[in-house]
């Protein structure tokens, strides 16, 4: 993975459950410290399946996509938003429930950094009220 990123971007990546790099999906197993070094322990899952309406955001700023976690819906795109900073991304990645503009509150099921497309993806489902 890239090493020439700022600390805020690195922390945002550490908050993601999944990573897409060169067409392969990885799952985060552990975040570790080794002295001054940050270590991400990843497990390879296999080829990444493309979702609906995927776009490349490389060199186009910081973006988040909100998608359905349902493979049968081809990971349906709900909304894309631009972000000014990685701190703004971190705010979303830290939450179990996010308030998506124009949609409302939804439950986060997992988070991902798609290095290939240069975008953060947050998978959400309806918030069940009991």
């Amino acid at each position: 993975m890239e090493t020439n990123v700022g600390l805020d971007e690195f922390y945002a990546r550490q908050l993601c459950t999944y990573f897409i790099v060169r067409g392969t999906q990885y799952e985060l197993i552990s975040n570790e410290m080794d002295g001054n070094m940050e270590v991400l322990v990843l497990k390879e899952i296999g080829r990444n399946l493309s979702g609906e309406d995927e776009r490349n955001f490389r060199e186009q700023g910081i973006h988040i996509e909100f998608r359905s976690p349902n493979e049968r819906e081809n990971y349906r795109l709900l909304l894309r938003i631009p972000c000014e900073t990685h701190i703004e991304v971190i705010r979303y990645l830290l939450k179990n429930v996010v308030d998506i503009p124009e949609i409302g509150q939804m439950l986060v099921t997992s988070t991902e950094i798609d290095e290939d497309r240069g975008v953060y993806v947050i998978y959400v489902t309806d918030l069940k009220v009991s």
Side-chain angles (χ1 to χ4, degrees), residues 8-20:
D8 56 346
E9 184 174 355
F10 191 73
Y11 286 151
R13 291 171 187 215
Q14 286 183 330
L15 291 169
C16 293
T17 343
Y18 295 97
F19 297 76
I20 308 300

Side-chain angles (χ1 to χ4, degrees), residues 76-87:
R76 182 172 49 91
L77 177 67
L78 303 173
L79 184 72
R80 288 185 178 107
I81 61 168
C83 295
E84 293 295 318
T85 66
H86 281 92
I87 297 297

Side-chain angles (χ1 to χ4, degrees), residues 63-67 77-83 88 91-92 97-106 122 124:
H63 289 82
I64 296 174
E65 290 183 341
F66 297 95
R67 291 183 172 273
L77 177 67
L78 303 173
L79 184 72
R80 288 185 178 107
I81 61 168
C83 295
E88 190 177 342
R91 181 173 181 237
Y92 280 96
V97 174
V98 292
D99 195 354
I100 303 172
E102 304 168 23
I103 295 176
Q105 289 190 321
M106 298 195 81
I122 300 177
V124 294

Side-chain angles (χ1 to χ4, degrees), residues 27 49 61 68 71 93 98:
E27 180 179 9
L49 301 174
S68 163
E71 185 177 355
L93 294 174
V98 292

